Amino acid sequence: MATQSKKTTSSSSQTQNCAAEPQGPALWKQLDAAAQCLQAVRGGQSATAVLEQVERSLRPGVQALLFQALRQLGRAQALRKELAARNPPPRVDNLLCTALALAWQEDAAPYPPFTLVSQAVEAAKRNATTRGQAGFVNACLRRFLRERDALVAATDKDPVAQWNHPLWWIRAVQKDYPDHWQQILAANNAHAPMTLRVNALRGQAAEYLQTLEASGLPGVRVGASGIELAQAAPVSQLPGFAEGAVSVQDAAAQLAAPLITEGLDQAQPLQILDACAAPGGKTAHILELAGAQQKWQMTALEMDGERARRIGETLERLKLKAQVLVTDAGDVDEWWPKANGRAQFDAILLDAPCSAAGIVRRHPDVRWLRRESDLPQLAKLQERLLAALWPLLKPGGRLLYCTCSIFHVEGRNQIKAFLSRNTDADLLTSPGHLMPGHSAGDDKLRENAIGDHDGFYYALLQKLAA
């Protein structure tokens, strides 16, 4: 996935769901750090960047608290306004919002609400920035505990509180999906599964699933090479990960390589381009499908040097080779001569920069960082890249356009406009817009279903012969 420069599970019993104190760092320390991170995200910084600044021993717990707070931020903001009509100082506001986001749903709270409240007050007392407002924090949160049901009911009419998305985002989803918008927004607030892609050069998914189960990591098959784990695990616990046996990749993202390589001859030295390749998952998957002979000549582009380095690391772990160029894919005259002497490509994958609206389950900060004005700007960038890359495709070749977005302006509308401008383009059978969540019914247990996946858009285009 390329973006512009860019579980919590309910428990049936209180004892199963939480403990009075976390194991490890004190809860007040984690809450204080989570509130600081929330303030930074609300100020425009990505959660990934701010979490890197958190003390390593605190980071896992803080990330869990922050992500849950971001998933419930709309409700938390509305509750805070009920408790204090005037905006308190930013650090106090974010501490209150963090505690309210975590505590307002008792069955989903990571700790008992009274524990979260007392520890949030402790955090206020311990931090010099908020110490003078500790009494105010205590009064607000104690009132919340006393009047929780009434306060929640008072915020139910606020759509931002109800759906935990910005109002413009809610309206955009309603417009694009008038019959399914509620399900889409609800799915965005759930947790995404950890899905693996088994390296076809190293083994089969069915065999690797048995290896996982023997290691105490059960899962189910999804797609041709995927396995959805019952519970997420560190990659260090995945058998053979360091040796390249398996990669982590969302089930919807695993559709890209088979779509772009369908019908390509493994025995021919074909030219393949991955135009916005970081972090390299789709590049690697294409090379895995190239077969043991590895005759396809793969070029991967990425304009950010650090992200390009990650492509190299991915390929090195999987023992695959590709030409990686640090460049803007739209600046064709700059990179095309270096890539292959201006030879046309047999296949092009354009995983275009987008709003990332399909992956907010994994990156819950995205919904609060994006602005409505970002969408037309991103659509122009996508249009520019399509126009730049289409002439580089051989007649009869295929270009796969994809985004990890559910918005029509970045998907079906973009391709409809492209087809109107390019009479030599034919839209082949394509998945189109995929919504986040599970496949219908029991399909996730079938080999040809992709299970619980992110939101995505795919359009497979073929260039007609002159």
Side-chain angles (χ1 to χ4, degrees):
M1 185 277 298
T3 57
Q4 195 172 26
S5 120
K6 337 186 185 184
K7 188 166 173 189
T8 300
T9 54
S10 299
S11 174
S12 59
S13 72
Q14 192 70 34
T15 55
Q16 287 176 323
N17 191 41
C18 44
E21 288 289 345
Q23 296 297 314
L27 180 54
W28 73 262
K29 286 186 177 181
Q30 296 182 52
L31 288 169
D32 183 61
Q36 183 176 357
C37 290
L38 180 61
Q39 182 174 338
V41 171
R42 294 173 81 186
Q45 299 182 54
S46 76
T48 300
V50 298
L51 284 166
E52 289 178 354
Q53 307 303 314
V54 175
E55 180 184 331
R56 186 173 296 274
S57 64
L58 292 174
R59 196 175 302 167
V62 170
Q63 177 172 316
L65 295 175
L66 174 64
F67 277 25
Q68 184 166 346
L70 288 166
R71 291 187 178 102
Q72 302 296 329
L73 182 57
R75 179 71 69 169
Q77 291 175 148
L79 287 169
R80 203 279 297 156
K81 289 179 182 178
E82 290 290 323
L83 293 165
R86 295 179 61 183
N87 291 335
R91 190 61 180 273
V92 174
D93 184 23
N94 285 283
L95 181 59
L96 285 171
C97 284
T98 298
L100 292 167
L102 298 172
W104 82 273
Q105 283 182 307
E106 187 169 9
D107 61 349
Y111 304 97
F114 68 85
T115 299
L116 288 164
V117 166
S118 65
Q119 291 295 293
V121 173
E122 185 67 18
K125 293 177 180 178
R126 299 271 192 143
N127 190 302
T129 306
T130 55
R131 187 173 299 135
Q133 296 287 316
F136 172 75
V137 172
N138 182 62
C140 288
L141 294 180
R142 296 296 173 183
R143 180 189 167 199
F144 163 75
L145 289 179
R146 293 193 306 270
E147 305 175 21
R148 178 170 51 188
D149 291 347
L151 290 166
V152 170
T155 62
D156 278 341
K157 295 180 181 179
D158 181 350
V160 177
Q162 184 179 3
W163 297 107
N164 290 293
H165 288 71
L167 186 58
W168 73 264
W169 190 303
I170 296 171
R171 289 172 174 168
V173 177
Q174 288 174 327
K175 178 183 177 181
D176 285 351
Y177 305 94
D179 297 327
H180 305 289
W181 66 271
Q182 298 99 329
Q183 297 96 309
I184 294 168
L185 294 176
N188 282 348
N189 291 325
H191 288 247
M194 183 173 181
T195 305
L196 310 179
R197 185 191 76 244
V198 178
N199 185 345
L201 297 173
R202 303 289 301 277
Q204 300 298 316
E207 298 168 352
Y208 189 77
L209 180 58
Q210 293 178 354
T211 302
L212 284 173
E213 291 174 341
S215 301
L217 297 171
V220 294
R221 291 280 308 281
V222 289
S225 302
I227 295 173
E228 182 181 310
L229 294 180
Q231 186 172 352
V235 294
S236 59
Q237 294 183 13
L238 301 177
F241 179 84
E243 293 75 31
V246 67
S247 298
V248 178
Q249 188 180 43
D250 177 73
Q254 292 187 36
L255 295 177
L259 281 167
I260 194 67
T261 60
E262 182 182 5
L264 295 181
D265 189 345
Q266 292 182 350
Q268 297 300 315
L270 305 181
Q271 296 277 350
I272 314 293
L273 174 68
D274 188 347
C276 301
K282 297 181 183 69
T283 303
H285 195 187
I286 291 171
L287 289 170
E288 290 169 10
L289 297 180
Q293 293 179 325
Q294 293 289 296
K295 288 197 172 183
W296 295 350
Q297 299 177 32
M298 187 81 195
T299 300
L301 310 180
E302 174 55 49
M303 65 184 302
D304 182 273
E306 179 60 25
R307 287 170 57 80
R309 184 183 61 80
R310 293 179 60 193
I311 300 173
E313 292 175 347
T314 297
L315 296 175
E316 182 178 4
R317 181 179 63 83
L318 295 168
K319 300 176 178 59
L320 299 169
K321 292 183 179 180
Q323 178 181 211
V324 180
L325 301 177
V326 181
T327 186
D328 178 353
D331 192 358
V332 172
D333 290 335
E334 170 64 25
W335 63 262
W336 195 17
K338 303 174 187 177
N340 61 5
R342 293 184 176 271
Q344 286 185 305
F345 292 94
D346 297 276
I348 298 174
L349 170 60
L350 173 55
D351 185 1
C354 71
S355 65
I359 59 170
V360 293
R361 299 187 306 170
R362 301 183 191 278
H363 301 279
D365 56 328
V366 166
R367 71 190 85 179
W368 307 113
L369 293 172
R370 286 282 175 239
R371 298 292 179 264
E372 187 173 12
S373 59
D374 292 340
L375 296 185
Q377 295 176 17
L378 287 163
K380 288 182 179 179
L381 174 58
Q382 294 152 7
E383 178 183 338
R384 168 180 171 260
L385 291 171
L386 279 166
L389 296 176
W390 186 249
L392 279 57
L393 186 67
K394 288 181 180 179
R398 293 180 174 187
L399 183 150
L400 180 63
Y401 172 83
C402 61
T403 65
C404 54
S405 175
I406 61 170
F407 293 131
H408 286 179
V409 67
E410 300 182 278
R412 65 172 60 174
N413 294 354
Q414 183 71 256
I415 294 304
K416 182 179 179 180
F418 175 82
L419 291 170
S420 71
R421 297 189 299 267
N422 295 273
T423 57
D424 60 344
D426 184 28
L427 178 61
L428 304 180
T429 300
S430 304
H433 281 287
L434 300 173
M435 296 303 101
H438 287 276
S439 300
D442 293 327
D443 283 355
K444 71 180 300 237
L445 302 178
R446 300 210 317 254
E447 184 174 341
N448 63 345
I450 60 172
D452 186 356
H453 54 81
D454 290 341
F456 244 84
Y457 176 78
Y458 283 108
L460 182 60
L461 303 165
Q462 186 168 41
K463 180 175 281 191
L464 303 176

